[in-house]
Amino acid sequence: PNEGDQDLNVFNNLTSRTTYNNKAGIFNYTFGYDINLEFAKGADKIKDGSKSIGDYALFLTTDIKVLPTLTIQPAFRFIHNTLYNAPVSPSLSFLYKPAKALHFRGSYSRGFRAPTLKELYLDFHDFNHNIDGNPDLKAEYSNHFQLSAGYTFFEKGTRSLLTSVTGFYDDVKDQIALRGLADSAGITNRFKYSNLGHSRIAVLQLNNEFRWDALRVNLGASYTKSIETLSETDTVPAFDYFEITGNVRYDIPKWKTGVAVFYKYTGSQPLIGSIENSALYYDRMKGYHSIDASVEKSFYKERVILTAGVRNITNTYNVGSTLGSGGGGGHSSGGGLMLTTGRSFFATLRVQLGQ
């Protein structure tokens, strides 16, 4: 390309999902498939010019009502990924309702996540950021545990108030993360997608759901704690942070339309970097706010639903940090950490076939 020309990098995603539901005796079952395809093309920022990855999955879920107050749900997911070996992913969950207003839930699932094309191949360099993909990334493998309790304070018609407390525990091998690297040859703010050998995270969430006719409000908060974990490749340190979320939706039945606003505050949290001997250290990234908004419109007896909106209204893409101020590696705070490419717009169309 000539000097001054702009580089064009194109990422395309193709997703297809179909499910079938039926009931046989005490069994309610669902089976179906998921297909997720990614394609990337770019002469400058995509290694070798073009890349693709595909994820094909079959799944089966069964609800079994063991007792009037107890339901269990075993499930299996069979995955074929075009670049990575994917295991069979089983899961098991239960719902226990000892009283009308009180319920308890629990679940276990084995997880698998292949890297995205951006994490594998995208090299993003400008005056303020230097982010490299990593074609040697491994896929993530995880075990997820969850317990929750919920209580309904009142529920009458279209008016209700529900409060729930949920605890999560994730044990992840080869977690994909964005590592900070030491400044080199005058280049600052260097980051590279890498695998963390082993990480363990515990999360406690509080959520409140309020509905009053056409108005729905959801307010929540969470506390996340990382447990110090040693592995053959590195050590993930202990850290913690808070998050606050809220969303409001108002439906206009006459117009078959709904308007929604989503808000999230992410508290100050660590940035993971690498120094000599593959050790890990972390420093604090400043807290930041994000706001999304959307409008939803249904047609043809709600069989066709069109949604359009804007993500990251505040256009937050850089968050200040002091990466490396705790010593080691000669890092620079520079322009901070790039979270996203900034404000974006989206539109989705969902079509229901049959009853």
Side-chain angles (χ1 to χ4, degrees):
N2 298 320
E3 184 176 353
D5 289 349
Q6 292 185 343
D7 298 319
L8 179 63
N9 300 278
V10 180
F11 287 84
N12 292 304
N13 292 77
L14 177 63
T15 301
S16 177
R17 178 183 173 91
T18 298
T19 61
Y20 175 78
N21 305 287
N22 205 346
K23 183 177 181 180
I26 63 171
F27 298 93
N28 287 315
Y29 62 90
T30 300
F31 67 84
Y33 72 84
D34 271 322
I35 298 177
N36 294 282
L37 307 177
E38 284 187 83
F39 305 92
K41 187 175 183 181
D44 179 64
K45 291 182 170 58
I46 304 300
K47 291 182 174 68
D48 301 326
S50 64
K51 294 292 181 180
S52 65
I53 188 172
D55 203 79
Y56 304 84
L58 296 174
F59 57 88
L60 172 64
T61 303
T62 304
D63 290 339
I64 306 173
K65 201 169 186 64
V66 180
L67 299 170
T69 57
L70 177 63
T71 301
I72 63 173
Q73 184 184 77
F76 291 92
R77 186 177 182 86
F78 305 88
I79 307 170
H80 170 69
N81 187 278
T82 56
L83 297 182
Y84 296 89
N85 292 324
V88 176
S89 296
S91 65
L92 178 65
S93 61
F94 73 86
L95 169 62
Y96 176 56
K97 299 186 69 173
K100 183 178 180 180
L102 179 65
H103 71 262
F104 299 93
R105 296 179 184 271
S107 66
Y108 161 78
S109 60
R110 180 193 296 168
F112 165 83
R113 185 178 85 83
T116 67
L117 288 182
K118 291 183 179 180
E119 293 167 337
L120 287 167
Y121 302 115
L122 177 64
D123 292 336
F124 185 86
H125 302 278
D126 64 12
F127 69 94
N128 205 29
H129 305 94
N130 292 282
I131 300 176
D132 291 324
N134 183 357
D136 296 323
L137 283 176
K138 302 175 184 178
E140 289 183 5
Y141 299 90
S142 62
N143 291 286
H144 175 80
F145 301 85
Q146 177 179 334
L147 285 173
S148 68
Y151 185 78
T152 302
F153 289 93
F154 69 86
E155 185 174 23
K156 186 176 182 180
T158 57
R159 301 176 180 181
S160 61
L161 175 61
L162 168 66
T163 294
S164 62
V165 178
T166 304
F168 302 89
Y169 174 75
D170 286 320
D171 188 304
V172 186
K173 299 289 182 63
D174 294 320
Q175 179 181 355
I176 299 169
L178 196 61
R179 291 184 189 243
L181 303 178
D183 298 343
S184 176
I187 301 176
T188 62
N189 288 332
R190 297 178 61 226
F191 297 92
K192 183 177 183 179
Y193 288 104
S194 304
N195 291 107
L196 305 185
H198 190 189
S199 63
R200 296 178 294 165
I201 297 287
V203 182
L204 183 64
Q205 292 181 337
L206 172 66
N207 193 55
N208 300 280
E209 300 176 17
F210 173 74
R211 182 174 183 180
W212 196 268
D213 299 331
L215 176 66
R216 278 180 276 182
V217 180
N218 191 303
L219 296 174
S222 67
Y223 171 74
T224 299
K225 171 70 175 178
S226 171
I227 303 168
E228 184 178 38
T229 306
L230 285 71
S231 68
E232 295 180 358
T233 56
D234 46 43
T235 300
V236 176
F239 61 82
D240 57 3
Y241 63 92
F242 289 92
E243 289 183 332
I244 298 173
T245 59
N247 65 71
V248 178
R249 178 185 171 101
Y250 187 78
D251 293 313
I252 308 173
K254 182 179 179 180
W255 297 348
K256 297 182 180 179
T257 301
V259 180
V261 177
F262 305 86
Y263 166 80
K264 181 178 182 180
Y265 170 74
T266 301
S268 176
Q269 59 183 284
L271 296 170
I272 296 177
S274 59
I275 55 176
E276 294 79 7
N277 301 320
S278 298
L280 290 181
Y281 76 96
Y282 69 99
D283 208 329
R284 306 299 295 191
M285 176 179 68
K286 293 180 180 179
Y288 63 94
H289 306 266
S290 61
I291 303 174
D292 303 339
S294 65
V295 178
E296 182 180 282
K297 170 72 174 177
S298 63
F299 305 89
Y300 304 111
K301 298 181 180 179
E302 300 185 351
R303 292 186 178 181
V304 178
I305 300 177
L306 174 65
T307 305
V310 56
R311 295 188 179 96
N312 193 7
I313 293 176
T314 56
N315 200 30
T316 301
Y317 58 92
N318 266 18
V319 174
S321 67
T322 57
L323 185 61
S325 64
H331 294 69
S332 169
S333 61
L337 175 67
M338 188 189 76
L339 296 173
T340 71
T341 54
R343 186 182 299 115
S344 64
F345 301 88
F346 69 93
T348 61
L349 181 67
R350 301 197 303 271
V351 180
Q352 179 182 340
L353 303 177
Q355 298 294 329

